Amino acid sequence: MSETTQATGRTFTPPAELAAQANVGPEIYDEAARDRLSFWADAAHRLTWDREWDTVLDWSNPPFAKWFVGGRLNVAYNCVDRHVEAGHGEQVAYHWEGEPGDTRTLTYAQLKDEVCRAANALTELGVTAGDRVAIYLPMIPEAVVSMLACARIGAVHMVVFGGFSADALASRITDAGAQVVITADGGYRRGAPSALKPAVDDAVSRVEGVRHVLVVKRTEQDVEWDDSRDLWWHDVVGRQSAEHTCEFFDAEHPLYIMYTSGTTAKPKGILHTSGGYLTQVAYTHWATFDLKPDPDVYWTAADVGWVTGHSYIAYGPLANRATSVMYEGTPETPHRGRWFELIEKYRVTILYTAPTVIRTFMKWGEDVPAGFDLSSLRLLGSVGEPINPEAWLWYHEHIGGGRCPIMDTWWQTETGAHMLTPLPGVTTLQPGSAQHPFPGISAKVVDDEGNELGDDSTGLLVLTEPWPSMLRTIWGDDDRYVDTYWSRFGTDVYFAGDGAKKDADGNIWLLGRVDDVMNVSGHRISTTEVESSLVGHPTVAEAAVVGASDPTTGQGIVAFVILRGNAEAQGEGASGDELVQTLKTHVAKDIGPIAKPRQIMVVQELPKTRSGKIMRRLLRDIAENRELGDVTTLTDSSVMNMIKDKLPAAPSED
Ligand code: WT7
């Protein structure tokens, strides 16, 4: 962590040319500070409303906010139709590239036709406003088309990342009450087709209420088929009319649910609504990235199955009439220069990605990007975890050619859009820091009692005013919403769960989660979720999971397990490699490959406090091979020696 918060002594002023023509200048901070609500109202006016709102914000019942009360709009109309109506139908919305190298270009006019067909198809399948639709797709244009089709008819989409297991999909379908699932036979990952439909078959067989499964043909893999339920996308969507008159919905009409890990084993269904969400994603995308709809070619290199994809592959860029790149596969397929090849091919001007990818590129070496023409790039973005200054500088030099400012954007699934970030034409950049609240956002660093801290101090990050794209609740669980985010410091202070430091100049540096949530390659995974998966295996009696710092993924999952007395009897070879392998595979299957522990250690005891709480800090010290900290609150400090004795000489790293 120390490296993350260490100033490099180097700062970067905005490039003069960019500053001269930037979408927003320094005055924006004063404007927003003078009248926060009219600042957001102006941002909302960038959208097209069927009916103007009566009240910008209703915060009479905190923490339940209503933005743009009384306003009506259609999110899909704002993302697609209005650009076509304004004569931009021929502009490319997406340059899509499949992993095998196949391509598709979708103009705004074509996107509009596809979205209308899909909206008609969903209506034919009985989907109406307010119904939930699960989407489990690879990174193909149909993912965005499906989301927009839902938005167009007022249905609530619930996208599940294709890397999640059948179990994870099933529990999300049940929690959201989805009756229709949109999936594909498979998608391409790491040079091979990777099946999706079997996970859907498995999930759907275990839950109540799914009436239809709409299947996109992508890989042409063999699929099991249930005639009573399964339908091919190309049949049902293909035969629809491209005409569809959209209805307008209330600004607070639900737009989507996105599940994210909390501190318990049960993921939280984060609910986003329409008017405020679209206002803030569109405005931040335009201001943070200085997006110019015409010359720019914009690329968020992330999966649409995460909030980054929702806000900055789909809604923000489309609302701003951006031309985007969308890529199906992994960065090393078929070679390590694939991303750079795409930047060169499409003349990408703005690239937005995660620090974990940058660190992977660093490992592969600067020769890889040096082999491509990256001169089209003018601005870079980072998201998902703190970017360590070393990675920042490498990104700046070897991808950005020393000329592109980097926007380190701090936000969360819950916040919906950027909350802390520099601005490209304004901020003198400080590598490693997300720096300042976005205009119109109130963020503070506070101590444990909630007192605001001055410069040069460390504490917790809180948001002290509601913001347009904030989550509205946890789906079906208002109490959990209040408890999780608004109880620590009262119902008008949002506790983000991140530690933060304010430096002497007032820059904010994020220090990672302060709760039991890990951040692996920019993906949030709860320690409890992995622990409950491990104890779900018949050989495991107890498990403790920690996120240990990892040079590539930010954090890696390290598990300590105590076996049941019968583990040996089950023929698993007790503490042997074979059992460790079995357990890793078990978690990967249970939750998804992203949750597979990097390392599992079989131990006799776990360090606990007198109240029985597992002391993760000590386990983290072991996992990171640090000297042990204070152990005086342990029930039995000899436990630690026992654990240390059990450590394998060289931890297995597969
Ligand atoms: C958590 C939210 C936002 C979309 C991707 C992750 C961490 C995110 C940064 C950043 C430091 C960051 C925080 C946050 N995080 N961006 N620029 N600097 N930390 O969304 O899964 O909801 O995770 O990611 O810890 O709380 P998410």
Side-chain angles (χ1 to χ4, degrees):
M1 206 55 70
S2 60
E3 196 205 5
T4 304
T5 58
Q6 211 91 74
T8 55
R10 295 182 64 185
T11 56
F12 297 81
T13 48
E17 209 185 314
L18 193 158
Q21 52 80 66
N23 287 346
V24 299
E27 66 289 347
I28 201 78
Y29 287 102
D30 290 338
E31 254 172 55
R34 245 190 328 269
D35 189 343
R36 206 169 55 84
L37 295 184
S38 77
F39 169 80
W40 286 120
D42 288 348
H45 278 131
R46 298 181 66 250
L47 305 177
T48 304
W49 295 76
D50 172 57
R51 182 187 185 282
E52 174 100 10
W53 54 90
D54 307 311
T55 312
V56 176
L57 168 67
D58 175 357
W59 189 234
S60 57
N61 181 30
F64 299 94
K66 291 190 184 134
W67 281 87
F68 307 113
V69 185
R72 292 171 66 82
L73 81 170
N74 184 294
V75 169
Y77 175 87
N78 272 281
C79 289
V80 187
D81 302 46
R82 65 174 179 147
H83 307 315
V84 178
E85 287 170 12
H88 300 289
E90 296 313 305
Q91 185 184 326
V92 174
Y94 292 105
H95 292 290
W96 176 82
E97 177 120 352
E99 197 187 73
D102 50 334
T103 61
R104 278 165 72 183
T105 308
L106 255 94
T107 63
Y108 275 93
Q110 289 166 332
L111 183 61
K112 175 170 175 283
D113 288 352
E114 275 302 293
V115 171
C116 287
R117 284 195 191 95
N120 284 324
L122 289 175
T123 303
E124 185 181 295
L125 296 179
V127 178
T128 59
D131 290 352
R132 277 80 59 206
V133 173
I135 300 175
Y136 187 66
L137 282 171
M139 278 284 288
I140 55 177
E142 284 78 3
V144 175
V145 170
S146 300
M147 289 160 65
L148 292 168
C150 289
R152 195 171 179 99
I153 63 171
V156 183
H157 59 73
M158 190 275 287
V159 179
V160 178
F161 172 57
F164 274 120
S165 65
D167 271 359
L169 178 61
S171 65
R172 285 159 172 76
I173 290 174
T174 303
D175 191 75
Q179 299 186 350
V180 170
V181 182
I182 305 177
T183 188
D185 45 2
Y188 288 93
R189 304 262 337 143
R190 299 202 161 75
S194 162
L196 284 173
K197 177 85 169 30
V200 175
D201 294 339
D202 184 355
V204 167
S205 73
R206 284 187 277 141
V207 305
E208 299 283 308
V210 172
R211 292 182 285 112
H212 300 290
V213 177
L214 198 51
V215 189
V216 179
K217 191 173 267 187
R218 163 70 184 130
T219 55
E220 317 222 342
Q221 286 164 286
D222 287 337
V223 288
E224 300 269 316
W225 204 254
D226 178 342
D227 282 326
S228 70
R229 172 196 87 189
D230 296 343
L231 299 157
W232 284 113
W233 172 284
H234 57 261
D235 286 342
V236 181
V237 177
R239 66 174 146 75
Q240 304 293 330
S241 153
E243 296 299 317
H244 180 271
T245 311
C246 65
E247 271 179 74
F248 295 91
F249 298 97
D250 194 272
E252 284 297 339
H253 189 79
L255 179 63
Y256 70 82
I257 303 168
M258 160 120 297
Y259 284 84
T260 185
S261 292
T263 51
T264 69
K266 188 176 186 284
K268 302 173 287 197
I270 303 302
L271 180 71
H272 283 293
T273 60
S274 304
Y277 174 80
L278 195 64
T279 294
Q280 194 175 331
V281 296
Y283 188 81
T284 50
H285 178 256
W286 176 78
T288 307
F289 298 133
D290 189 42
L291 192 281
K292 307 282 197 280
D294 267 333
D296 275 324
V297 178
Y298 175 82
W299 185 17
T300 290
D303 196 284
V304 80
W306 303 103
V307 74
T308 306
H310 280 46
S311 299
Y312 298 105
I313 294 177
Y315 292 114
L318 291 174
N320 288 326
R321 188 171 45 89
T323 293
S324 291
V325 168
M326 186 173 173
Y327 171 57
E328 179 185 34
T330 49
E332 70 275 36
T333 310
H335 57 80
R336 290 175 166 182
R338 186 65 187 274
W339 276 25
F340 309 116
E341 193 176 70
L342 291 172
I343 293 169
E344 178 180 292
K345 175 174 174 185
Y346 294 107
R347 308 295 298 153
V348 171
T349 59
I350 303 168
L351 174 69
Y352 188 34
T353 190
T356 183
V357 183
I358 303 306
R359 290 192 297 266
T360 303
F361 288 151
M362 285 172 78
K363 221 162 55 183
W364 293 345
E366 61 211 52
D367 291 353
V368 184
F372 297 87
D373 176 6
L374 307 182
S375 62
S376 55
L377 287 171
R378 68 179 189 94
L379 195 143
L380 303 171
S382 173
V383 61
E385 56 178 311
I387 180 162
N388 46 310
E390 197 195 354
W392 196 105
L393 293 170
W394 194 94
Y395 192 20
H396 189 258
E397 183 173 343
H398 297 291
I399 297 183
R403 65 182 183 276
C404 308
I406 299 177
M407 299 303 111
D408 178 1
T409 61
W410 177 90
W411 57 294
Q412 307 177 299
T413 305
E414 291 86 343
T415 70
H418 300 163
M419 299 297 283
L420 299 182
T421 178
L423 288 178
V426 181
T427 316
T428 295
L429 303 175
Q430 183 73 254
S433 168
Q435 301 196 283
H436 308 300
F438 192 86
I441 297 299
S442 305
K444 291 189 173 124
V445 178
V446 299
D447 66 16
D448 281 339
E449 275 74 53
N451 305 308
E452 182 172 5
L453 296 172
D455 290 348
D456 222 353
S457 42
T458 299
L460 304 169
L461 183 70
V462 295
L463 304 167
T464 52
E465 297 284 357
W467 61 99
S469 64
M470 66 193 274
L471 77 167
R472 297 306 195 258
T473 190
I474 291 174
W475 181 257
D477 202 344
D478 286 349
D479 290 343
R480 191 175 178 198
Y481 167 66
V482 178
D483 285 353
T484 308
Y485 305 106
W486 306 91
S487 62
R488 186 150 177 171
F489 304 114
T491 50
D492 51 4
V493 177
Y494 174 92
F495 173 51
D498 281 278
K501 177 184 119 172
K502 231 177 178 184
D503 69 16
D505 304 317
N507 293 300
I508 296 178
W509 299 71
L510 277 308
L511 304 178
R513 306 286 306 186
V514 295
D515 52 15
D516 294 335
V517 175
M518 299 172 287
N519 188 327
V520 182
S521 299
H523 298 145
R524 232 205 268 186
I525 301 164
S526 115
T527 51
T528 4
E529 211 176 340
V530 179
E531 283 164 6
S532 71
S533 168
L534 284 166
V535 296
H537 192 271
T539 60
V540 177
E542 216 182 326
V545 169
V546 297
S549 62
D550 183 289
T552 306
T553 59
Q555 286 190 311
I557 303 175
V558 177
F560 296 80
V561 296
I562 300 175
L563 297 180
R564 291 185 185 207
N566 64 355
E568 201 102 54
Q570 300 216 358
E572 300 281 8
S575 58
D577 287 349
E578 210 180 313
L579 175 59
V580 165
Q581 261 327 316
T582 307
L583 293 176
K584 286 184 181 178
T585 313
H586 167 78
V587 176
K589 193 171 168 293
D590 213 20
I591 306 174
I594 48 161
K596 182 173 169 176
R598 179 185 84 184
Q599 193 182 351
I600 295 181
M601 301 188 209
V602 178
V603 296
Q604 307 289 335
E605 292 280 355
L606 290 169
K608 289 186 183 159
T609 61
R610 282 172 224 289
S611 62
K613 209 173 177 305
I614 292 170
M615 299 187 75
R616 291 179 209 280
R617 184 173 49 80
L618 292 180
L619 294 176
R620 211 173 295 127
D621 284 346
I622 294 186
E624 293 172 353
N625 278 324
R626 272 200 299 267
E627 288 303 310
L628 292 180
D630 178 22
V631 292
T632 48
T633 48
L634 275 174
T635 42
D636 175 5
S637 56
S638 62
V639 167
M640 291 316 298
N641 296 331
M642 292 166 69
I643 290 181
K644 287 192 90 175
D645 289 344
K646 283 284 158 190
L647 289 183
S652 65
E653 284 286 350
D654 53 321

